Amino acid sequence: MLKLDSVHTYYGHIHALKGVSLTVNEGEIVTLIGSNGAGKTTTLNTISGVLSARAGAVYLQDTTRKAGEQHGNGRDGDIRLDQLPAHEVARLGVSQSPEGRKIFARLSVQENLAMGAFARTDADGVRLDLERVFELFPRLKERLSQPGGTLSGGEQQMLAIGRALMSRPRILLLDEPSMGLAPILVQQIFQIIREINAQGITILLVEQNAQAALQVADRGYVLETGNIVLSGAAGDLLANPQVAEAYLGI
Amino acid sequence: MTSSPATVQAAGTEGRTSLRQFTRVLGAVILLFVIWRVTTVGLSEGYPASFWISQALNGLVLGGVYALVALGYTLVYGILFMINFAHGEVMMIGGITGYFALQFAQARGWMEGPWAVVVVALLLIMFIGMAASVLIGVTLERLAYRPLRQAPRLVPLISAIGASLFLQYSVLLIFGVSPHSYRKPALISGGLRLGDVFIPYTGAIIFVTSILLMLALYFIIQRTKLGRAMRAVAEDRSTASLMGVDVNAVIVVTFMLGSALAGAAGVMLGFHNTVVKFNSGFLPGLKAFTAAVLGGIGNIPGAMFGALLLGLIEAIGPSALGIPTEYKDVIAFSLLVLILIFRPTGLFGEVLSEKKA
Ligand SMILES: Nc1ncnc2c1ncn2[C@@H]1O[C@H](COP(=O)(O)OP(=O)(O)OP(=O)(O)O)[C@@H](O)[C@H]1O
Ligand SMILES: [Mg+2]
């Protein structure tokens, strides 16, 4: 459903992604692991259109177009995300819960969730999804009118994921959802990632906590200084001695 | 080693402390001066209470107009972190356009018609002025500011000053130096007499209209989806875009709202001062900027409050301090300097310092 083809992204002269290729199939949880500064956040932001790729392409499978219809500039039946601004990527069903949560601190919890549903016009569907978010995170329901900035770190993480879900995404990009959380909450977050996936949402998960990420994922990619150096089924990566040494701290 | 890092740091701290002491002394001197003038001059003149009330009411009218303009500064600053120094000219264009709309209406005799016709015509004149200002504001954003969005912050500021001069002298070139005078229709020429206090109708109308427009703006920002998006963009542009918000569109709408309020202010100021010309946006623009800074730039209720306060200070100040009224501008700009020295974040200014400052 999502495919990166040899993507190069720069920050000025800094060459952060040096030809990243990866694929996420419909219904999968795919994890992208790698040490600090490897380029994981850069990858997600390139997909989202916050950063633009200087070379390569990002394809999203287009479900709205019928076969045989005139297509744009992508491959047949695909949309080129790398040529779209961030807000249009979001409107195509690619939702990101960004690194560091990025809650709107002065907007209330309710308003933050409403921002997640910004591009939607189906009020009934939005109400339904709000209920779904409250089922996943009952904590948020108790704090609806509180400014987002006054939530605890863990609550903010819940809000960030909930906000990303409010767009009813086709694919959810999660950037370090377990960062800074107590171990019990980390477990809970990974449990919730499973639940979200079970509801039919495809997930691309970026994590420092490679062990937990590989346990929840179907497949994984290992990123090192802007290059994909390893990929495979999550179980195989968990068993790989190279991965174990570098990322699992074994 | 004569100067270890520790001593350097100590010297720095010392410098800061003596600066703080200096501003404290300066503040005390100014306060004493104000108290001295007010007690020896202002109160000893023996003005009647009705005089002070009239002055205060004038101040509120002027403050209402300043507030409309100040909101434009604060809205744009809240989202782009730049001062739109051409905003006074955006207001002036509204005033000039309103003048021609008024001419048009007068030529057709609408201003002498039944009161309903006059009211509708006045509303139309204001809308036309607002529309002209919106057009100019949006053009400014597109041509003078958007191309410089990634540039250092001083650059769009210089562009704004250039745009301000460009607009002033374009109007001068097209319409000449002589002021265009607004002729009030008879319907709103009189006033209301309450005891010794006289309230001109235009003043009352301007004040009420300003308040209504401010309430409308506040409603848009706090209660609508668009306003929520504006607040989100003000906080974090790239995260807002992740939510599907077209940031450029929100910025354009922000300029539209600010410019519409300025256009309304321009037309109302035309009726209030009876004249408009190429530079009649300059002083009110600076005053409104002062008001926005007074309330804490970027803070919407702050701009409203700061403007009303500034209007009051300007109206009461000259008599209270025993200064000729021609010098009332000195009071406003002294105030600007004083705020920048003593409380650069304004009266409600904690918002500014959060992360982007
Ligand atoms: N705004 C920026 N300007 C310049 N360089 C940047 C910027 N953001 C990231 N980089 C550089 O790009 C590289 C990749 O950064 P990125 O944030 O993608 O890493 P990451 O894998 O997400 O790391 P972490 O696990 O620490 O979040 C790093 O070397 C970083 O220094
Ligand atoms: Mg990162």
Side-chain angles (χ1 to χ4, degrees), chain B residues 245-258:
Chain B
V245 177
D246 183 346
V247 173
N248 275 331
V250 168
I251 290 172
V252 169
V253 169
T254 306
F255 270 86
M256 290 174 86
L257 284 175

Side-chain angles (χ1 to χ4, degrees), chain A residues 207-218:
Chain A
E207 260 302 333
Q208 288 289 340
N209 189 341
Q211 174 96 36
L214 286 169
Q215 274 166 2
V216 75
D218 300 304

Side-chain angles (χ1 to χ4, degrees), chain B residues 2 8 22-23 58 63 77 98 111 140 153 157 163 172 190 194 205 232 248 270-271 301 316 322:
Chain B
T2 46
V8 172
F22 171 74
T23 55
N58 283 338
Y77 187 88
M111 285 301 159
L140 270 181
R153 283 171 62 173
L157 212 64
L172 176 63
L194 298 173
I205 293 169
N248 275 331
F271 279 109
I316 296 176

Side-chain angles (χ1 to χ4, degrees), chain A residues 87 91 104-106 111 118, chain B residues 225 231 235 242 244-245 354:
Chain A
H87 67 272
R91 285 162 187 226
F104 298 113
R106 273 179 266 144
E111 287 177 320
F118 180 79
Chain B
K225 189 170 168 176
R231 285 180 286 139
E235 269 199 53
L242 284 180
V245 177
E354 238 161 52

